[in-house]
């Protein structure tokens, strides 16, 4: 037995694992809260960022003062903000047209798209199970979309929008990766959010959406849960666990989303849906396995 295991247990903060679990229990609330809000889906994305921005600015201020972004980093963060705005707009609109479980799992496909980018574009040699994981995810996604199409062409539209959101989020992560070497995570998230929020507001107004809510509760909870608490807990916990543990923990999100969709909206998963969801979920774990597993 390696001596690193007990040391890891001693060094790990006692709240790291509860924080990881809680993050993956809170983040699936996002699609539900978008459904429950009385504004347009893109307007909900705007309020998600706008209501969280005062807190983000306070959290990012020390890092920005300590390590101010260069001109190139400012430009990269501005581009990241625009891509993130497009990601949120596509995902929030897609949420209204498909099941909560589908929206959650398609919106989190960046864990598979990033290895695909490395293999197809950067010509990186795939790690052990990456190729199998990507094939399994593709098959599972097709099964899920087929189940949506059987219900309504509108549901397939929602799946495709959420899938586009997953692709856009992958682009966002690739841009952020270029600037995270020098800048801390709060600085990156805050500056990109400052760009994203007005872009989302303009988009919501152009689409003729209702922007001012009659009921602020879902939007306030959305901002606190998705943008601050969920992401904050995940950021805190992510450095303490192996890729396998992180991959397995992410499987809580579609499971919780499916349960919430059933309880709140009567969205039951057919056996075909369950097979497709299980295939994508398994792929999310396989793609995070170390090559020697």
């Amino acid at each position: 037995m390696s001596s690193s295991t007990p040391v890891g247990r001693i060094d790990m903060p006692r709240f790291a694992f509860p924080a990881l679990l809680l993050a993956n229990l809170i983040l699936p609330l996002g699609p539900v809260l978008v459904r429950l809000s009385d504004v347009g889906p893109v307007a909900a994305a705007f309020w998600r960022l706008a209501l969280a921005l005062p807190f983000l600015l306070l959290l990012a201020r020390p890092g920005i003062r300590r390590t101010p972004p260069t001109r190139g980093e400012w430009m990269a963060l501005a581009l990241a903000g625009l891509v993130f705005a497009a990601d949120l707009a596509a995902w929030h609109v897609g949420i209204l047209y498909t099941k909560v479980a589908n929206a959650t799992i398609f919106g989190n496909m960046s864990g598979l798209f990033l290895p695909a980018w490395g293999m197809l574009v950067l010509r990186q040699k795939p790690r052990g199970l990456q190729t199998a994981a990507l094939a399994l995810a593709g098959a599972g996604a097709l099964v899920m979309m087929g189940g949506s199409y059987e219900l309504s062409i509108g549901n397939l539209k929602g799946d495709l929008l959420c899938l586009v959101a997953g692709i856009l989020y992958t682009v966002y992560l690739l841009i952020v990766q270029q600037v995270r070497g020098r800048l801390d995570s709060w600085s990156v998230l805050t500056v990109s959010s400052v760009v994203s929020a007005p872009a989302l507001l303009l988009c919501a107004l152009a689409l003729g959406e209702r922007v001012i809510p009659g009921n602020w509760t879902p939007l306030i909870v959305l901002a606190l849960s998705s943008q601050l608490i969920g992401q904050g807990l995940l950021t805190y916990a992510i450095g303490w666990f192996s890729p396998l543990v992180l991959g397995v923990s992410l499987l809580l999100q579609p499971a919780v989303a499916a349960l919430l969709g059933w309880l709140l909206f009567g969205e039951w998963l057919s056996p075909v849906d369950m097979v497709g969801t299980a295939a994508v979920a398994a792929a999310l774990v396989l793609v995070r396995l170390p090559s020697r597993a």
Side-chain angles (χ1 to χ4, degrees):
M1 182 187 298
S2 170
S3 61
S4 63
T5 303
V7 173
R9 288 177 179 173
I10 293 172
D11 292 342
M12 182 185 294
R14 62 183 299 186
F15 296 113
F17 189 65
L20 182 66
L21 291 180
L22 190 57
N24 284 290
L25 291 173
I26 288 175
L27 288 171
L29 290 173
V32 171
L33 294 165
V34 172
R35 291 266 196 97
L36 295 177
S37 68
D38 57 3
V39 298
V42 180
F46 161 71
W47 287 116
R48 165 182 166 168
L49 297 182
L51 293 173
L53 266 179
F55 303 97
L56 289 174
L57 288 168
L58 286 174
L59 291 167
R61 185 180 177 186
I64 291 177
R65 293 184 67 179
R66 183 174 59 251
T67 311
T70 64
R71 182 178 178 182
E73 288 168 343
W74 281 116
M75 294 177 65
L77 289 173
L79 178 59
L82 293 175
V83 173
F84 189 54
D87 158 47
L88 282 182
W91 191 51
H92 279 214
V93 173
I95 285 168
L96 300 185
Y97 292 98
T98 190
K99 296 177 181 178
V100 171
N102 286 28
T104 301
I105 203 159
F106 283 130
N108 284 287
M109 291 283 273
S110 58
L112 292 160
F113 291 145
L114 284 172
W117 171 270
M119 291 165 55
L120 299 175
V121 179
L122 302 182
R123 304 295 183 184
Q124 295 174 350
K125 184 179 179 181
R127 291 189 292 111
L129 294 173
Q130 281 187 339
T131 304
L134 293 171
L136 186 61
L142 288 175
V143 169
M144 291 171 68
M145 289 182 184
S148 293
Y149 180 76
E150 288 177 3
L151 293 175
S152 165
I153 188 66
N155 286 4
L156 179 59
K157 169 187 172 183
D159 283 351
L160 291 173
L161 281 169
C162 291
L163 193 59
V164 167
I167 295 171
L168 288 168
Y169 190 63
T170 305
V171 176
Y172 166 78
L173 290 176
L174 289 169
I175 298 171
V176 165
Q177 191 178 43
Q178 303 302 312
V179 295
R180 271 291 283 122
R182 259 184 19 99
L183 306 178
D184 70 342
S185 58
W186 288 119
S187 300
V188 171
L189 181 61
T190 301
V191 175
S192 61
S193 296
V194 167
V195 176
S196 300
L200 286 166
L201 178 59
L202 290 174
C203 183
L205 292 173
L207 293 172
E209 291 186 359
R210 176 178 177 177
V211 174
I212 304 300
N215 179 12
W216 285 93
T217 303
L219 296 174
I220 292 173
V221 176
L222 176 66
L224 294 177
S225 62
S226 293
Q227 202 65 19
L228 281 177
I229 300 175
Q231 290 293 342
L233 288 172
L234 194 61
T235 301
Y236 165 75
I238 201 168
W240 298 100
F241 299 99
S242 68
L244 175 59
V245 174
L246 293 174
V248 173
S249 71
L250 287 175
L251 301 188
L252 280 173
Q253 292 194 34
V256 172
L259 179 62
L260 292 173
W262 174 60
L263 291 175
L264 297 175
F265 307 113
E267 296 176 355
W268 58 277
L269 294 181
S270 68
V272 172
D273 291 326
M274 291 180 185
V275 169
T277 303
V280 177
L284 285 170
V285 175
L286 288 176
V287 81
R288 287 172 170 80
L289 283 173
S291 57
R292 291 179 297 167

